[in-house]
Amino acid sequence: DACDGWATHQQLDMMVVNSDGQNIHMVSDYTTWEAKDGLSFRFHTRQTTDDAVTSQIDGDAKVDGSGGPGTAHYTSPKDTTKPLPQGTLFPMAHTAALLAAARAGKKFIALPLFDGTSEEGAQDTSVVVLNTKPPEATPYPLLSALASARVHLAFFERTPSAITPDYEVLMRYWENGVADALRMDFGDFVMDAKLSELKLQPHHC
């Protein structure tokens, strides 16, 4: 909680062994700031392979009122601007919309998402709420008092020919946005992730 917005930092650090038996070290850093009114967003994504930078995306985006339309301005890898379609949400607003749908008993929602991870602007997302659960005991007291939902998200390019998703994520979401039991399907490989530590960040607002 950055008071005027939500600050996010995510790092994915992988050691991959290829078919020749070589170790490849891949790191993806993703840092964002999203205004609490959902109207503005800043993003930085940097990917390295064996310490060499293979991709970097930076910029900011705005939507005109809740749900767009809007624009995304990239400063790297090149200075360019992409339009964002009506209904576009940034990541925190997208998560909030998903959780609200689950609370309302909806089983399916489709929303455009802009998260700054692609040079091509917004993506289409298809979300299926598989089930919802009342509060139950967990290893984390912060979560034990909260309801949760099991959801499946699919992410598509915004092109008429995009009939299969770029990637899919299956996870359990608690009402406060914490996620566990992730299965991330990137097509070429699948990753499973489990919550191993949860620490409440200090609140200075």
Side-chain angles (χ1 to χ4, degrees):
D1 189 347
C3 300
D4 59 343
W6 300 108
T8 303
H9 179 227
Q10 174 182 300
Q11 185 180 75
L12 181 62
D13 191 326
M14 297 189 297
M15 186 67 73
V16 180
V17 181
N18 67 15
S19 58
D20 295 325
Q22 297 174 315
N23 290 333
I24 302 172
H25 186 208
M26 304 171 66
V27 178
S28 175
D29 274 298
Y30 176 63
T31 303
T32 66
W33 176 91
E34 180 177 338
K36 287 187 176 179
D37 61 9
L39 301 183
S40 58
F41 181 64
R42 297 192 299 266
F43 53 94
H44 166 74
T45 301
R46 187 172 186 263
Q47 297 181 349
T48 63
T49 301
D50 292 335
D51 298 325
V53 178
T54 54
S55 172
Q56 183 164 322
I57 302 174
D58 296 280
D60 59 85
K62 294 182 179 180
V63 290
D64 303 323
S66 180
T71 55
H73 175 226
Y74 294 86
T75 55
S76 65
K78 60 182 179 180
D79 195 304
T80 187
T81 300
K82 296 280 187 180
L84 300 178
Q86 182 73 34
T88 297
L89 298 176
F90 299 132
M92 292 295 284
H94 186 273
T95 298
L98 186 161
L99 294 172
R103 283 194 299 271
K106 295 181 180 180
K107 295 298 183 182
F108 175 81
I109 57 173
L111 297 166
L113 167 70
F114 180 79
D115 62 6
T117 59
S118 168
E119 299 174 48
E120 302 305 317
Q123 298 172 293
D124 283 328
T125 69
S126 174
V127 182
V128 179
V129 180
L130 301 174
N131 61 51
T132 56
K133 291 184 177 181
E136 61 183 12
T138 76
Y140 309 100
L142 180 65
L143 303 179
S144 296
L146 302 177
S148 63
R150 187 80 171 154
V151 298
H152 179 266
L153 294 87
F155 300 83
F156 297 83
E157 292 183 5
R158 286 187 58 82
T159 60
S161 60
I163 58 175
T164 58
D166 285 343
Y167 63 99
E168 300 174 75
V169 180
L170 183 72
M171 72 180 83
R172 181 183 182 183
Y173 256 138
W174 276 269
E175 283 190 331
N176 62 355
V178 172
D180 188 17
L182 278 78
R183 167 156 287 202
M184 296 166 281
D185 186 345
F186 297 100
D188 294 331
F189 64 98
V190 177
M191 292 178 59
D192 289 330
K194 292 184 178 181
L195 184 65
S196 60
E197 183 179 356
L198 178 62
K199 182 180 179 182
L200 191 64
Q201 296 298 305
H203 192 270
H204 301 295
C205 303

